[in-house]
Amino acid sequence: MKRNIKNIAVVAVMALTGVLSSCDKGFDKVNVSEDFVSTPNPEYQLPDIELKMLDNTYYTLGDFVAPFVMQVTNRKSYETLNVAGGYHGYHFEWIYGNPLVNVVDFIERTKADPTRVNYTSIGRIIKVYLAHQLTDLYGEIPYFEGGRGYLDRTFTPAYDPQDKIYADMFKELDEAISAFDNTQRIPTTADIVYKGDIAKWKKFANSLMLRLGLRIMKADGVNGKKWIEKAVAGGLMQNNDDNFLVKYLPNSSTGGTTNPTSNGQAHIFIRYPDNYRLTSQFINQLKNTADPRMSVYAMLPASRTAYGAGNKDPAKQKGWPAFGDRAEEAPYSSIPSANRLNYSVSNNTTFGRYDAPYIHLSYAQVQFQLAECTVRQIITGSTTAKTYYENGVRAAMDQLKAYGSEGVITATQATAYLNANPYNPADTEAALEAINMQYWIETHYNWYETFANMRRSGYPKFYDQLAPVTQQPGNLNAKMPRRLTYQPDEVSTNPKLQQALQRQGPDLTSTRVWWDKP
């Protein structure tokens, strides 16, 4: 982690000898930078952390995870995408070097001031969010010592088993929720997500607790159920106003890079208009169910060299087959370059823009998780799984208005979709598949979460539907990857990583993390 856990402020100290003792008047101000900030202001730290919770570039998310979940393809083979190292580890490097190291510092600074207890609780919740995403992607990570290079000079932090990480994340969420105090200072301006609304922060924390509890049910059902019940009792998101949504500004950088105040995930389509396409799995799912979200997500590109307005007619959309699978069309080795304008990209006025908002966790996700918990009898109550499911679908469609006028889907459209694609409570398998298919659609662009939920739930079963290798050699008998691999710099510089690999297994995409049980 040459730019992450090792990320420290280096201060050069000049030793003055006694020879200069007679001319040291004002010397205490020499070599003191007017720009260097040794004591960051929490009011400025918090918005920077919230903006950088999302990678401001596309490397790991767009180049690897989006293809893994079969929503976007960069036209690379399955084998190429699963090679260890490279940009698999960029998210690891980004999070440790940016939001995590800063939120660790933010927590340390604010907890020393009792009047900033609400700041500290917010920091603890954000740290859990960042850590859960890291550990879900990679498995064992430096958790207890991670991000403390500047504070403790811990430059080669120990890796921690995932079950220990999860236990502490639950504890942190529980304690952070309890510590909130409306009588103390509230970051109404610094908090660009909830404007210091403590009730919303509590609902976000409980909703994150629900997500984590469901995630570990196969590995530790007793604790999973305990924390799910605690999350429900504590109060979850109640509507789309509770969504953890970060707003961004248009990109102002040059040279193809992205500004930290921009949402860099659309970069794959904007910067490389001829390379990336939405998949046939994604487009066909929307088309086959007459999903009104099609025009919000997709358009046919008008140019192979410039990213601009395209054809958004739902009937015209077409997806590029993941991993070169040609089972649905006449087989040939590759799609001719001249045909690329016939395949869909991201809508440039909704998701496909630098100032698109980003939803980290939503009310719709909560409703789908409650639906699954009800089907699996993890929770009981008067609300049926069907009601939770339909609430989730309606919320998932309604939240798209955050992307502008082209994202607006009416209640009438949502009702028509539900009527045309009814939820079947009599068939458990069909019910679980429907719930998690909707989760898969709703988390479009939030592909780290899509990837985690596909591994946990087993849905959608797109990998099972790929053409057999005897028909399509390019598929290489593709199986669902189970994790990302570590950053090469970390492998070579932190000897403690080897201890993690001995416990967890080899640094391959086929190695399962602790909660990911067959």
Side-chain angles (χ1 to χ4, degrees), residues 43 46-47 50-51 118-119 122 126 180 182 184-202 204 241-249:
E43 303 295 336
L46 183 55
E50 291 177 333
L51 284 170
N118 296 316
Y119 290 68
I122 289 172
I126 291 176
F180 276 116
N182 283 302
Q184 299 301 327
R185 296 176 65 174
I186 296 175
T188 53
T189 302
D191 174 16
I192 62 174
V193 178
Y194 289 137
K195 307 301 181 184
D197 189 325
I198 290 177
K200 290 183 183 294
W201 274 104
K202 289 182 178 180
F204 170 59
D241 289 339
D242 293 332
N243 289 352
F244 195 96
L245 179 149
V246 180
K247 296 180 179 179
Y248 289 89
L249 299 174

Side-chain angles (χ1 to χ4, degrees), residues 73 75 277-281 318-322 335-336 340 343:
T73 176
R75 302 181 294 107
R277 294 294 184 268
L278 298 177
T279 65
S280 57
Q281 285 80 2
K318 184 177 183 180
W320 192 291
I335 298 173
R340 290 179 190 169
Y343 293 85

Side-chain angles (χ1 to χ4, degrees), residues 157-331:
Y159 279 67
D160 301 296
Q162 194 176 59
D163 60 333
K164 301 296 191 299
I165 295 171
Y166 260 78
D168 193 74
M169 290 193 299
F170 286 124
K171 176 190 75 67
E172 285 292 289
L173 289 175
D174 191 27
E175 292 180 0
I177 293 168
S178 299
F180 276 116
D181 187 344
N182 283 302
T183 68
Q184 299 301 327
R185 296 176 65 174
I186 296 175
T188 53
T189 302
D191 174 16
I192 62 174
V193 178
Y194 289 137
K195 307 301 181 184
D197 189 325
I198 290 177
K200 290 183 183 294
W201 274 104
K202 289 182 178 180
K203 285 185 279 189
F204 170 59
N206 280 316
S207 299
L208 181 54
M209 186 184 294
L210 169 67
R211 175 190 284 184
L212 301 186
L214 185 57
R215 193 143 295 165
I216 69 168
M217 280 301 297
K218 288 183 180 178
D220 186 356
V222 172
N223 279 310
K225 179 178 174 62
K226 180 186 79 172
W227 289 108
I228 289 170
E229 290 173 343
K230 189 172 185 64
V232 172
L236 304 167
M237 291 178 172
Q238 296 300 305
N239 51 56
N240 282 337
D241 289 339
D242 293 332
N243 289 352
F244 195 96
L245 179 149
V246 180
K247 296 180 179 179
Y248 289 89
L249 299 174
N251 190 35
S252 60
S253 297
T254 59
T257 59
T258 54
N259 188 295
T261 62
S262 300
N263 177 347
Q265 300 315 311
H267 195 65
I268 57 177
F269 294 107
I270 297 171
R271 179 66 174 171
Y272 305 101
D274 204 32
N275 289 5
Y276 296 83
R277 294 294 184 268
L278 298 177
T279 65
S280 57
Q281 285 80 2
F282 187 64
I283 295 298
N284 290 349
Q285 174 61 33
L286 301 175
K287 185 174 287 189
N288 293 341
T289 57
D291 196 314
R293 288 170 286 191
M294 175 76 89
S295 60
V296 183
Y297 293 137
M299 70 177 189
L300 290 181
S303 169
R304 292 177 55 198
T305 59
Y307 189 65
N311 189 332
K312 298 163 188 175
D313 180 354
K316 301 292 186 181
Q317 304 310 310
K318 184 177 183 180
W320 192 291
F323 313 133
D325 182 72
R326 307 302 299 166
E328 63 190 55
E329 298 178 23

Side-chain angles (χ1 to χ4, degrees), residues 18-19 30 102 124 149 166 190 204 243 257 302 320 390 393 403 466:
V19 177
V30 175
N102 287 319
R124 294 171 79 178
Y166 260 78
F204 170 59
N243 289 352
T257 59
W320 192 291
E390 293 184 349
V393 171
Y403 293 86
L466 289 174

